[in-house]
Amino acid sequence: MSVIEISGLHKAFGPLQVLRGIDLSVERGDVVCVIGPSGSGKSTLLRCVNLLEQPDSGTILVGGTELTDPDVDIDLARRKLGMVFQGFNLFSHLSVLDNLTIAQRKVLRRSGSEAVETARRNLAKVGLAGKESAVPSQLSGGQQQRAAIARALSMNPEVMLFDEPTSALDPELVGDVLGVMRQLADEGMTMIVVTHEMQFAREVADRVLFMDGGVVVEQGPAEQVIGDPQEERTRTFLARVLNPLK
């Protein structure tokens, strides 16, 4: 069963056509990694999925609900989606625990005790048990990103969207975040991941999309797209990413 169905998606910023007719179907439990050069439309695609950017045309269905329907209850529809950004977007003045419980209480109307229990469970899942009372400035970048993942998980989404979640991290901290994402994939979480981490995409993704110029140039199993790309543009991109000194 498709959890996400995107058809004919277009998005422009002024004269710049950023997305030019994207079609994408994501099945329940799939991990789809989106790769491509900067400016190819990867992040805009993710932001359109939960209407952080309003598409110019096309349709987006999430869990059977058409988010592009003008009459949709977008706040209700967005509950199906968890998003993790390049920046961590944690509230700097709140503790880690409060960061994880505030939306649960205000949006999902959970009781304080239920919200805390859910938050603690997800902090343990991402390896941050015992950090509940810390504020974001007391955490490393990797810990902040894992807290952001735990916050998204605490809303019980059907789909997790990751927008280059390791791009702002020191190299030594990347592995901890990717490890959490790998665990989520193993548990069957449906995920769309915009990433430059080719090894992660190769090992974890069920499907890889290569985007350039606002279109999907090539897609298929990770081993094919990354290991044996069919399109010249894909080959050129991967040669530069995988062998930057050549």
Side-chain angles (χ1 to χ4, degrees), residues 52-101:
L52 290 175
E53 298 288 355
Q54 186 68 43
D56 296 326
S57 61
T59 58
I60 301 171
L61 281 78
V62 177
T65 300
E66 184 185 340
L67 271 65
T68 42
D69 183 336
D71 297 323
V72 72
D73 184 338
I74 186 58
D75 292 328
L76 184 62
R78 277 193 183 126
R79 295 182 191 180
K80 300 177 181 179
L81 298 164
M83 187 156 184
V84 178
F85 300 87
Q86 296 178 33
F88 319 123
N89 290 14
L90 298 172
F91 294 112
S92 60
H93 64 292
L94 296 181
S95 69
V96 168
L97 189 64
D98 287 342
N99 265 282
L100 268 66
T101 57

Side-chain angles (χ1 to χ4, degrees), residues 28-165:
R28 189 171 303 279
D30 275 358
V31 177
V32 176
C33 284
V34 185
I35 63 173
S38 297
S40 60
K42 309 183 300 296
S43 293
T44 301
L45 172 61
L46 274 198
R47 293 176 65 84
C48 282
V49 170
N50 63 3
L51 296 193
L52 290 175
E53 298 288 355
Q54 186 68 43
D56 296 326
S57 61
T59 58
I60 301 171
L61 281 78
V62 177
T65 300
E66 184 185 340
L67 271 65
T68 42
D69 183 336
D71 297 323
V72 72
D73 184 338
I74 186 58
D75 292 328
L76 184 62
R78 277 193 183 126
R79 295 182 191 180
K80 300 177 181 179
L81 298 164
M83 187 156 184
V84 178
F85 300 87
Q86 296 178 33
F88 319 123
N89 290 14
L90 298 172
F91 294 112
S92 60
H93 64 292
L94 296 181
S95 69
V96 168
L97 189 64
D98 287 342
N99 265 282
L100 268 66
T101 57
I102 186 170
Q104 293 186 67
R105 292 186 287 106
K106 292 184 177 295
V107 177
L108 301 183
R109 302 297 181 186
R110 286 179 179 159
S111 66
S113 60
E114 183 182 4
V116 167
E117 180 183 352
T118 300
R120 291 185 187 278
R121 182 172 64 250
N122 284 305
L123 285 171
K125 179 190 287 283
V126 302
L128 291 179
K131 295 291 186 181
E132 292 90 343
S133 61
V135 294
S137 62
Q138 296 173 318
L139 302 179
S140 70
Q143 288 173 327
Q144 289 186 61
Q145 191 62 292
R146 284 184 280 148
I149 294 172
R151 178 179 59 183
L153 291 174
S154 293
M155 301 298 285
N156 295 117
E158 294 184 25
V159 180
M160 286 285 286
L161 309 174
F162 292 89
D163 186 9
E164 298 190 28

Side-chain angles (χ1 to χ4, degrees), residues 6 22-26 31-37 40 42 45 192-195 198 201 205-212 215-222 225-226 234 237:
I6 299 172
I22 300 294
D23 298 316
L24 175 63
S25 177
V26 181
V31 177
V32 176
C33 284
V34 185
I35 63 173
S40 60
K42 309 183 300 296
L45 172 61
I192 304 179
V193 184
V194 171
T195 185
M198 295 301 145
D206 297 294
R207 186 157 38 112
V208 171
L209 272 65
F210 171 68
M211 289 184 63
D212 191 32
V215 300
V216 177
V217 176
E218 185 168 354
Q219 65 174 302
V225 175
I226 298 176
T234 316
F237 170 79

